[in-house]
Amino acid sequence: MLKNLMPNDHWIAHYNKDFLKSDFSAGLIVAIMLIPQAMAYSMLAGLPPVIGLYASTIPLIIYALLGSSRQLAVGPVAMVSLLVFSGVSTLAEPGSDQFIAYALLLSLMVGAIQLSMGLFRLGFIVNFLSHAVISGFTSAAALIIGFSQLKHLLGIKLEGGKNVFLLLFDAFQKIGIINWITFAIGIGSIIVLIYFKKKFPKFPAPLLVVVGSTLVVYFFNLEERGVSIIREVPGGLPAFSLPAFSVDSITALLPIALTISFVGFMESIAVAKTIASKEKYKVDSNQELTGLGAANIVGSFFSASPVTGGFSRTAVNYQAGAKSGLASIITALLIMLTLLFFTDLFYYLPNAVLAAIIMVAVFGLIDVKEAKHLFRIKQSDGWVLVITFFATLLTSIEAGILIGAGASLLLFIWRSAYPHTAELGYIEEEDIFKNVDRYENAKMFKDTLVFRIDASLYFANLAFLEERLRKEISDKDAVNRVVLDFSGVNAIDAVAIDELEKLIDEYKEAGIEFHLAHVKGPVMDLLKRAGWKEKYGEKIEYLTLHQALQPSRGSFHVS
Amino acid sequence: MLKNLMPNDHWIAHYNKDFLKSDFSAGLIVAIMLIPQAMAYSMLAGLPPVIGLYASTIPLIIYALLGSSRQLAVGPVAMVSLLVFSGVSTLAEPGSDQFIAYALLLSLMVGAIQLSMGLFRLGFIVNFLSHAVISGFTSAAALIIGFSQLKHLLGIKLEGGKNVFLLLFDAFQKIGIINWITFAIGIGSIIVLIYFKKKFPKFPAPLLVVVGSTLVVYFFNLEERGVSIIREVPGGLPAFSLPAFSVDSITALLPIALTISFVGFMESIAVAKTIASKEKYKVDSNQELTGLGAANIVGSFFSASPVTGGFSRTAVNYQAGAKSGLASIITALLIMLTLLFFTDLFYYLPNAVLAAIIMVAVFGLIDVKEAKHLFRIKQSDGWVLVITFFATLLTSIEAGILIGAGASLLLFIWRSAYPHTAELGYIEEEDIFKNVDRYENAKMFKDTLVFRIDASLYFANLAFLEERLRKEISDKDAVNRVVLDFSGVNAIDAVAIDELEKLIDEYKEAGIEFHLAHVKGPVMDLLKRAGWKEKYGEKIEYLTLHQALQPSRGSFHVS
């Protein structure tokens, strides 16, 4: 059974022991990065820090066995944590036992959805999410996540929920009551983190600020000055338990579970594909879903919140030399050691430092360049990004991605409904037919309209094309023949065939004959099934425009 | 103001008095047909019969002045009546004053929606409803309408709401208590109507069964035998009054008002276009919306339920020789005369006869041939029809059309995401490049893959195309060049450009060069904006495959 779930070309099957050293060092580096992140993202999700550490153990091992990427660093990530908070906080008080129970159920549901999508080979669905949508969504989510940490950074309570503007407004009003020591620790951490990120990207700056701030708080007794700290992190490995569930709670969590399944998978597959193509091996969407699904399901039995592959940790893992899933297994083992022996060390860690780690991580995800790039090439794609961004920021995070996906698909339908067409003329020097509006030397014909349709024909664009064609015909006196260049007609549907047939027959009565050239195989098959071969004969079978125009070659050069 | 709303080429402007006779006779024939239909469709809508007669007066005159069709017979129709019943019966008891008030408000809302769509030139929206959807929806609605009349035909009450199966089941259980005289009158009427429809389609059979059955009920005193009759129809012209409205009622009626606006408009425009193309004049979608919208708005001030152009009455109007909107004005005047002087004559008219008229009218709309036709040409289009049919029958009539429209657009997106591609070979005899799978004499090249993409490139199909291309390249040893035939690439989006660029650069590193031929103007514009001209130079500018392959012409014939 487990064997069937594993990828065909598994790293275990041909593990080279030369890899051992680099896998071990990568595993260690990721563990050092992951410990503060796991606690920070747990806080972001409204969960106790230890849940994030639990999510950094068993799920990593399961993914290493079943996933198809060899470098993907699985674990808690900011986006998924935000989604957990967003979905569960409407059902229970953040931090409460009930909240934790829902979060674990969510892990199980996300795992079940991803695993079934993998087994039923539904990984293709993510192709329908445009990169413009993902980019807009990610930038907005980064802002929401970042500002959700403002309260920890300032050491005060803020009203405004997830609304960035309300949060900022409330923070502005409460500027008099912020805890300046907390704020100083937070801002200091941010400066240190950014400095090292820019100058020494390989240095584990999060560990530095964690250790440094813990020491400062401990020695200066800053807890008594109102600096909020993590306190007790329970030690020991996560125990086995089944998530509690009921039909009601499953129904309530379903929308957020679906969103996490998709968004988590997308974050994962994007980074996994990039690295796989650099390393010249293949990741398979469905195998990735299987791996992540199993990791979440098994994780949910060991008190782990939902996990996925993270952008930045995967990059670090790869750059640190990870060659196989063993690196992740080593990371998991190191986190287990930490859980067993070192949780006491986190007692004096200030929340503001975790907030700083989150903020620096997510603000790097805001991608203004991509928006500019899209606007330069094709404005409408830029607008999809902007719409997704504002929809995510202003409605809810689940609705945002749906609105973006809907907008991008509607845009595609819209474009397909108003396609480009061109009247073609003959260019003698090149012996070729080209758009008369773009090529001045393309000569038109007196009695023949050569018309190229740059679209697959279907119900929604036929009325528009018909109108265009009628206009072209009526603009041209003395036309008695229309040659349609079908080289751009990649597909046709039955409704369009019927309408086109009506049009051709109507013009035939008016003394204008239609000829079709460059009809592609799949389109010809359908035309034949509709009886066009018997009805129109060779008039629809011209392989080239030259063939179709042969009878009037004499008039080729008459403009 | 009114002048601005009128069509440019109005029939009044060049009315020929030779038309007068045929307009008058057509107007009379339609009036004779309309009187029983108006009452029947009113009953179907849950309204008193007189409302249907009111809807056959003022709205007809307004449409004749503002619409662009000269033959369209406006008035109450079965489909819209069903929608009125379906929408309003959830808010008020059918037949009650409150119900009437909602129905009139609905007229106003439908009118306002259609008029604004016309003024803002949104008529194109109907293009997005595939004929397959309309056909499936109409067939299902015809069944729902037909079976909703079963209770009148049997003279009993039936449970089951709009569910055809529940209604039939309930009728079967109550077979012992049906009123056999009512049933005999109903079945007799159906037989007479069908007989004349087949043998003498021009004969006004509905008038015959109305007069005949009224006389039979009157002379044999069948009312006392339990035959349900129309009774009092108030005489006189409709008075001016404003529909009562509140925000709540508008909100509640909005979904049904939108559905009626679309469905009513579609029924209208389809038949108007058919006749206009036969008569060689143009109808304009937006002008039609303006005309119907104004007719509904003004109608709502004179107690008229929502109207639209009906299929069958328009056909009768046209066949009877209507040349202009004057025929409709004459119809309206004749109905007014009826309201003034003849409403008493309807007292003994049995409801079963109106039910028979509805049933015969709507069952003619069930179109099995269209479904077969679609399945023969393209199965998936047939499935869209079937899905719409069952969705309408099993969910609600508004949801049915939405599900159908959604399914047809998803199908289009789906097809676009998995496009056809082909490896091309050279056919020497024809000097042309063709799909090697379809043309046995098309010769492949040793070192070059000629690959045709039959699709516009966008975010949702790029992953699929990339996979196909990678497979083709890896299937071919010794390939060092890929020539992409872009003749089928009608459009491209920014996301696809980025992905394609990555792919080309990646293969370049592996020693495989990409060349693009037949790039269309609009696509080339975008590639240039993305900097491809500077980066790839003439490699993307080949006008033909011949040009792109020139350097290796020597190897043209090597298979």
Side-chain angles (χ1 to χ4, degrees):
Chain A
M1 162 67 187
L2 195 69
K3 190 88 194 172
N4 287 339
L5 289 179
M6 279 169 70
N8 290 325
D9 184 37
H10 201 282
W11 57 266
I12 288 183
H14 33 78
Y15 193 80
N16 182 333
K17 59 179 186 292
D18 296 348
F19 293 167
L20 212 60
K21 205 183 140 217
S22 48
D23 274 344
F24 188 83
S25 94
L28 173 66
I29 288 171
V30 171
I32 288 171
M33 184 179 180
L34 182 52
I35 291 169
Q37 279 191 352
M39 293 194 287
Y41 296 152
S42 233
M43 183 171 92
L44 170 58
L47 293 164
V50 73
I51 300 286
L53 293 173
Y54 291 162
S56 309
T57 57
I58 306 288
L60 277 67
I61 297 171
I62 301 291
Y63 177 84
L65 295 175
L66 296 182
S68 63
S69 168
R70 294 168 199 167
Q71 281 84 14
L72 192 71
V74 167
V77 304
M79 183 85 79
V80 168
S81 301
L82 172 70
L83 287 166
V84 170
F85 181 80
S86 171
V88 182
S89 62
T90 57
L91 302 175
E93 182 66 23
S96 67
D97 284 353
Q98 188 59 37
F99 191 96
I100 298 172
Y102 279 130
L104 300 185
L105 175 57
L106 201 51
S107 291
L108 180 61
M109 290 173 68
V110 167
I113 292 168
Q114 290 179 330
L115 184 63
S116 348
M117 282 179 68
L119 297 179
F120 291 113
R121 314 201 71 69
L122 298 178
F124 69 87
I125 291 179
V126 291
N127 291 341
F128 290 90
L129 274 173
S130 159
H131 184 71
V133 172
I134 297 172
S135 174
F137 174 75
T138 305
S139 294
L143 273 182
I144 296 174
I145 294 171
F147 282 104
S148 75
Q149 299 306 304
L150 199 57
K151 58 175 191 266
H152 296 298
L153 203 69
L154 303 178
I156 52 175
K157 284 200 174 151
L158 290 178
E159 311 285 325
K162 276 167 298 190
N163 188 311
V164 169
F165 307 105
L166 295 181
L167 278 174
L168 271 178
F169 182 70
D170 198 41
F172 188 75
Q173 284 188 316
K174 292 180 178 162
I175 207 154
I177 60 162
I178 67 178
N179 184 306
W180 291 99
I181 300 173
T182 303
F183 187 57
I185 293 174
I187 287 290
S189 302
I190 288 178
I191 292 169
V192 170
L193 288 168
I194 291 178
Y195 175 79
F196 280 98
K197 199 176 180 181
K198 294 235 158 120
K199 297 280 174 180
F200 310 97
K202 290 192 172 185
F203 185 83
L207 189 70
L208 177 73
V209 294
V210 163
V211 173
S213 63
T214 304
L215 293 176
V216 167
V217 172
Y218 177 71
F219 284 112
F220 294 97
N221 238 337
L222 294 182
E223 192 197 350
E224 287 171 14
R225 308 279 298 273
V227 173
S228 161
I229 54 171
I230 297 260
R231 296 175 194 276
E232 205 78 61
V233 175
L237 296 180
F240 179 89
S241 67
L242 285 175
F245 61 90
S246 66
V247 176
D248 281 354
S249 48
I250 288 179
T251 315
L253 290 172
L254 195 58
I256 204 78
L258 284 167
T259 312
I260 294 176
S261 304
F262 276 85
V263 171
F265 172 57
M266 270 166 18
E267 180 161 357
S268 239
I269 192 80
V271 64
K273 269 192 177 166
T274 308
I275 288 172
S277 83
K278 279 186 190 160
E279 288 291 298
K280 313 238 180 278
Y281 67 88
K282 268 189 73 98
V283 292
D284 173 71
S285 301
N286 296 309
Q287 188 65 45
E288 280 303 287
L289 278 165
T290 306
L292 288 173
N296 275 310
I297 291 177
V298 180
S300 75
F301 301 149
F302 292 95
S303 303
S305 53
V307 297
T308 196
F311 278 120
S312 49
R313 277 202 309 277
T314 302
V316 167
N317 195 31
Y318 176 57
Q319 282 158 14
K323 298 287 176 209
S324 75
L326 187 63
S328 282
I329 294 177
I330 287 163
T331 302
L333 295 174
L334 290 170
I335 306 274
M336 286 180 179
L337 282 180
T338 309
L339 278 167
L340 285 172
F341 305 112
F342 307 120
T343 53
D344 291 345
L345 300 182
F346 302 127
Y347 190 94
Y348 289 101
L349 176 59
N351 288 322
V353 169
L354 293 182
I357 292 172
I358 293 175
M359 288 173 120
V360 171
V362 297
F363 285 146
L365 298 177
I366 298 173
D367 194 352
V368 181
K369 245 167 71 187
E370 175 70 11
K372 279 190 192 156
H373 170 74
L374 291 179
F375 268 109
R376 201 182 65 237
I377 298 181
K378 200 160 188 174
Q379 281 216 338
S380 46
D381 289 326
W383 283 113
V384 167
L385 188 152
V386 169
I387 288 171
T388 313
F389 176 80
F390 282 105
T392 307
L393 214 53
L394 299 177
T395 65
S396 79
I397 195 145
E398 308 96 283
I401 202 160
L402 277 185
I403 291 171
S408 65
L409 290 176
L410 282 180
L411 176 67
F412 171 69
I413 290 175
W414 183 263
R415 280 180 189 156
S416 313
Y418 296 94
H420 180 256
T421 58
E423 179 177 357
L424 302 186
Y426 183 64
I427 301 181
E428 210 179 347
E429 305 88 76
E430 309 262 7
D431 189 28
I432 197 177
F433 294 86
K434 280 283 173 187
N435 184 351
V436 294
D437 292 338
R438 282 179 182 258
Y439 292 79
E440 279 184 10
N441 54 343
K443 298 252 167 66
M444 286 184 271
F445 307 96
K446 238 185 183 163
D447 57 349
T448 302
L449 169 67
V450 184
F451 191 73
R452 196 183 71 201
I453 299 168
D454 289 351
S456 295
L457 299 179
Y458 77 118
F459 60 89
N461 65 11
L462 211 85
F464 170 78
L465 286 171
E466 197 180 318
E467 206 165 297
R468 273 278 178 91
L469 190 55
R470 281 183 197 277
K471 200 181 162 309
E472 291 282 348
I473 292 174
S474 66
D475 282 358
K476 224 176 153 85
D477 311 327
V479 63
N480 58 29
R481 193 168 50 153
V482 175
V483 177
L484 295 181
D485 178 352
F486 256 47
S487 59
V489 179
N490 300 307
I492 194 163
D493 73 359
V495 175
I497 292 177
D498 289 350
E499 296 290 321
L500 199 59
E501 189 170 339
K502 265 192 235 159
L503 184 79
I504 292 175
D505 293 350
E506 186 195 315
Y507 271 111
K508 192 177 178 162
E509 275 180 40
I512 297 175
E513 289 274 359
F514 271 67
H515 297 236
L516 271 58
H518 283 304
V519 178
K520 294 184 177 187
V523 174
M524 185 61 90
D525 292 345
L526 292 182
L527 295 183
K528 282 183 180 163
R529 244 180 276 166
W532 283 36
K533 183 77 189 297
E534 292 78 42
K535 193 165 171 185
Y536 303 112
E538 60 170 16
K539 279 182 207 159
I540 61 166
E541 294 192 306
Y542 299 110
L543 291 182
T544 63
L545 287 172
H546 292 86
Q547 286 182 7
L549 286 158
Q550 210 73 37
S552 69
R553 271 244 162 161
S555 66
F556 250 45
H557 307 201
V558 186
S559 172
Chain B
M1 161 68 188
L2 194 70
K3 191 86 194 175
N4 287 340
L5 290 180
M6 280 169 68
N8 291 326
D9 184 37
H10 201 281
W11 57 267
I12 288 183
H14 33 76
Y15 194 79
N16 180 334
K17 61 178 186 295
D18 297 348
F19 293 168
L20 211 60
K21 210 187 135 210
S22 49
D23 273 346
F24 188 83
S25 95
L28 174 65
I29 288 170
V30 171
I32 288 171
M33 186 179 178
L34 181 51
I35 293 168
Q37 280 191 351
M39 293 195 288
Y41 295 153
S42 235
M43 184 170 92
L44 170 58
L47 293 164
V50 74
I51 300 286
L53 292 173
Y54 292 162
S56 310
T57 59
I58 307 289
L60 277 67
I61 297 172
I62 302 291
Y63 178 83
L65 295 176
L66 297 182
S68 63
S69 168
R70 295 166 198 168
Q71 281 84 15
L72 192 71
V74 167
V77 305
M79 183 84 80
V80 169
S81 302
L82 172 70
L83 287 167
V84 170
F85 182 80
S86 171
V88 182
S89 62
T90 56
L91 303 175
E93 182 65 23
S96 66
D97 283 352
Q98 189 58 40
F99 191 96
I100 298 172
Y102 279 130
L104 300 185
L105 175 57
L106 202 50
S107 292
L108 180 62
M109 290 172 68
V110 168
I113 293 168
Q114 289 180 331
L115 185 63
S116 352
M117 283 179 69
L119 297 179
F120 292 112
R121 315 200 72 68
L122 299 178
F124 69 88
I125 292 179
V126 292
N127 292 341
F128 290 90
L129 274 173
S130 158
H131 184 71
V133 172
I134 298 171
S135 176
F137 174 74
T138 305
S139 294
L143 273 182
I144 296 173
I145 295 171
F147 282 104
S148 75
Q149 298 306 303
L150 199 58
K151 58 176 192 264
H152 296 299
L153 203 70
L154 303 178
I156 51 173
K157 286 200 172 150
L158 288 179
E159 312 284 325
K162 276 167 298 191
N163 188 308
V164 168
F165 307 104
L166 294 180
L167 278 173
L168 272 177
F169 182 69
D170 198 41
F172 187 74
Q173 284 188 313
K174 291 181 178 160
I175 206 155
I177 59 160
I178 68 178
N179 184 305
W180 290 99
I181 300 174
T182 303
F183 187 54
I185 292 172
I187 287 291
S189 303
I190 288 178
I191 292 169
V192 170
L193 288 168
I194 292 178
Y195 176 80
F196 279 97
K197 198 176 182 180
K198 295 235 157 122
K199 296 283 175 176
F200 309 98
K202 292 195 170 181
F203 185 82
L207 189 70
L208 177 73
V209 295
V210 163
V211 173
S213 64
T214 304
L215 292 176
V216 167
V217 172
Y218 178 70
F219 284 113
F220 294 97
N221 238 337
L222 295 182
E223 192 199 349
E224 287 170 14
R225 307 280 297 273
V227 174
S228 159
I229 55 171
I230 296 261
R231 295 173 195 276
E232 207 77 59
V233 176
L237 296 178
F240 179 88
S241 66
L242 286 175
F245 61 90
S246 66
V247 175
D248 281 355
S249 48
I250 287 178
T251 315
L253 289 172
L254 194 60
I256 203 79
L258 284 167
T259 312
I260 293 177
S261 305
F262 276 85
V263 171
F265 172 58
M266 269 165 22
E267 181 162 355
S268 241
I269 193 78
V271 63
K273 269 193 178 165
T274 309
I275 288 172
S277 82
K278 279 186 191 161
E279 289 291 299
K280 314 237 179 278
Y281 67 88
K282 270 191 70 104
V283 292
D284 173 73
S285 302
N286 297 309
Q287 188 63 47
E288 282 302 287
L289 278 166
T290 307
L292 288 174
N296 276 311
I297 291 177
V298 180
S300 76
F301 301 150
F302 293 95
S303 302
S305 54
V307 297
T308 195
F311 278 120
S312 49
R313 278 202 308 278
T314 301
V316 168
N317 196 29
Y318 177 56
Q319 280 157 16
K323 297 289 176 205
S324 77
L326 187 63
S328 282
I329 294 179
I330 287 164
T331 302
L333 294 175
L334 290 171
I335 306 272
M336 287 180 177
L337 282 180
T338 308
L339 278 167
L340 285 171
F341 305 112
F342 308 119
T343 52
D344 292 345
L345 299 181
F346 301 127
Y347 191 92
Y348 289 101
L349 176 59
N351 287 321
V353 168
L354 294 182
I357 291 172
I358 292 174
M359 288 174 119
V360 171
V362 297
F363 285 147
L365 297 177
I366 297 172
D367 194 352
V368 181
K369 246 167 69 187
E370 176 70 11
K372 279 189 192 156
H373 169 74
L374 291 180
F375 269 109
R376 203 183 64 237
I377 299 180
K378 199 159 189 174
Q379 281 216 337
S380 46
D381 289 327
W383 283 113
V384 167
L385 188 152
V386 169
I387 287 171
T388 313
F389 177 80
F390 282 104
T392 308
L393 213 55
L394 300 177
T395 64
S396 80
I397 194 144
E398 308 96 281
I401 201 160
L402 277 185
I403 292 171
S408 64
L409 291 176
L410 282 180
L411 176 66
F412 171 69
I413 290 174
W414 184 262
R415 280 181 190 155
S416 313
Y418 296 93
H420 180 256
T421 57
E423 179 177 359
L424 302 185
Y426 183 65
I427 302 181
E428 209 180 348
E429 306 89 75
E430 311 261 6
D431 188 28
I432 197 178
F433 294 85
K434 282 283 172 185
N435 184 350
V436 294
D437 291 338
R438 284 180 180 257
Y439 291 79
E440 281 186 9
N441 54 343
K443 299 250 168 66
M444 286 184 273
F445 307 96
K446 239 184 183 162
D447 56 351
T448 302
L449 170 67
V450 184
F451 192 72
R452 197 183 71 202
I453 297 168
D454 289 353
S456 294
L457 299 179
Y458 77 120
F459 61 90
N461 64 11
L462 210 85
F464 171 78
L465 286 170
E466 196 180 318
E467 205 166 297
R468 272 279 179 89
L469 189 55
R470 281 184 197 278
K471 200 182 161 307
E472 291 282 347
I473 292 174
S474 67
D475 282 359
K476 226 175 152 83
D477 310 326
V479 63
N480 58 29
R481 191 166 52 150
V482 175
V483 177
L484 294 181
D485 178 352
F486 257 45
S487 60
V489 179
N490 299 308
I492 195 163
D493 72 2
V495 175
I497 292 177
D498 289 349
E499 296 291 321
L500 200 59
E501 189 170 337
K502 264 191 239 159
L503 185 79
I504 292 174
D505 293 349
E506 185 195 318
Y507 271 111
K508 193 178 177 159
E509 275 180 40
I512 298 176
E513 288 275 359
F514 271 66
H515 297 236
L516 270 57
H518 283 303
V519 178
K520 295 185 176 185
V523 174
M524 185 61 89
D525 292 346
L526 293 182
L527 294 183
K528 282 182 180 162
R529 243 179 279 164
W532 281 36
K533 183 75 190 297
E534 293 77 44
K535 191 165 175 188
Y536 303 113
E538 60 168 17
K539 278 183 208 159
I540 62 166
E541 294 193 305
Y542 299 110
L543 292 181
T544 62
L545 289 172
H546 292 87
Q547 286 182 8
L549 287 157
Q550 211 74 37
S552 70
R553 269 247 162 160
S555 67
F556 252 43
H557 307 204
V558 185
S559 173

